[in-house]
Amino acid sequence: VASNLVVGGKYLKQGPRNVLRSVSELLLSRGVKLKTGVECEFFLLHANNHELGDPRDFAAKPCYDQNALMRQRGFMTQLNEAMEEMGFPPYQTD
């Protein structure tokens, strides 16, 4: 959800971001800081033919293949550095 939902000039209490904000404020009033993030999932494809970017990425569950991740280490390093520059430091890359 890309915005705080507003109906009739007031925040919609059931809007996902509004719920998150209110819970965050409640927890902060109790001395707890809520931290949250997103999990971006994607596939790397060749720009010219839409095939997988890594021809050795053929595992049944490729998202759990750490060897495939390490073969893309250069790209993942650039991605993490770009996220850090934008103010979104990654907590974990796997």
Side-chain angles (χ1 to χ4, degrees), residues 16-29:
R17 288 176 52 123
N18 300 332
V19 169
L20 181 61
R21 186 179 59 236
S22 66
V23 169
S24 179
E25 291 169 358
L26 174 66
L27 290 172
L28 195 56
S29 74

Side-chain angles (χ1 to χ4, degrees), residues 1 3-5 11-21:
V1 177
S3 66
N4 297 324
L5 299 177
Y11 289 116
L12 179 66
K13 287 180 14 178
Q14 299 86 352
R17 288 176 52 123
N18 300 332
V19 169
L20 181 61
R21 186 179 59 236

Side-chain angles (χ1 to χ4, degrees), residues 42-46 51-72:
F42 55 89
F43 293 95
L44 298 178
L45 304 175
H46 282 289
E51 292 180 9
L52 289 178
D54 182 352
R56 294 184 288 170
D57 189 5
F58 53 81
K61 293 187 176 184
C63 58
Y64 298 107
D65 184 359
Q66 295 302 309
N67 290 324
L69 178 66
M70 293 310 296
R71 288 193 298 270
Q72 301 299 332

Side-chain angles (χ1 to χ4, degrees), residues 26-40:
L26 174 66
L27 290 172
L28 195 56
S29 74
R30 296 179 180 180
V32 177
K33 183 176 183 181
L34 176 67
K35 293 186 176 185
T36 185
V38 297
E39 182 176 3
C40 302

